[in-house]
Amino acid sequence: MNYTDLDVWKYSRRLVKTVYLLTKSFPKEEIYGLTNQIRRCSVSVPSNIAEGIGRQSNKETIHFLYIAKGSLQEVETQLYLSFDLEYISEKELKTTIEKVISTKKLLNGFINYYKKL
């Protein structure tokens, strides 16, 4: 299986792009704070999916898929914090959270698929 063919990996890449574009307008004093943290967490999602697929066993793969899921939870939390701090609008929050939820659903489905193998 090639990870680049996976819908969950493709969706998570789109989420990374969205997060990077969204955080461009964050205050400069956040460059080493929230901006860096949310970007790193978003990058972690497709990275851990790819790493998991490259592992030798289903158990290892599932472990990395769960790490990706945890990173998605972090991104979601940081989006809410960004909204609370008025760095993003309610519309931006809603749109981006929808992308997170879509990715989360795909990832959960993929984890369930792997558990059955």
Side-chain angles (χ1 to χ4, degrees):
M1 177 182 306
N2 191 346
Y3 71 89
T4 59
D5 295 330
L6 298 172
D7 286 339
V8 67
W9 184 78
K10 292 174 186 176
Y11 270 72
S12 63
R13 282 181 54 215
R14 288 186 207 127
L15 179 62
V16 172
K17 184 174 182 178
T18 299
V19 165
Y20 267 75
L21 292 173
L22 198 61
T23 56
K24 274 187 175 184
S25 64
F26 280 21
K28 294 297 178 209
E29 65 265 14
E30 285 293 348
I31 193 71
Y32 299 109
L34 190 56
T35 303
N36 183 47
Q37 186 64 27
I38 194 170
R39 285 179 173 186
R40 288 171 53 108
C41 288
S42 68
V43 167
S44 177
V45 178
S47 300
N48 278 292
I49 293 168
E51 186 167 358
I53 295 302
R55 292 297 171 149
Q56 298 297 315
S57 70
N58 287 357
K59 183 178 178 181
E60 285 181 296
T61 299
I62 291 167
H63 172 74
F64 280 92
L65 295 176
Y66 275 119
I67 292 171
K69 187 176 177 180
S71 294
L72 268 176
Q73 299 289 102
E74 287 185 75
V75 170
E76 186 173 18
T77 297
Q78 292 157 8
L79 287 168
Y80 281 110
L81 295 173
S82 300
F83 173 73
D84 293 344
L85 295 167
E86 300 178 358
Y87 297 160
I88 61 174
S89 69
E90 188 171 355
K91 182 180 178 185
E92 290 170 319
L93 173 66
K94 184 179 178 187
T95 302
T96 312
I97 291 291
E98 286 172 1
K99 290 180 182 183
V100 170
I101 291 169
S102 294
T103 306
K104 206 183 300 185
K105 286 178 181 176
L106 283 170
L107 187 55
N108 284 334
F110 196 56
I111 290 169
N112 290 334
Y113 164 78
Y114 251 90
K115 284 181 174 180
K116 293 176 184 174
L117 294 179

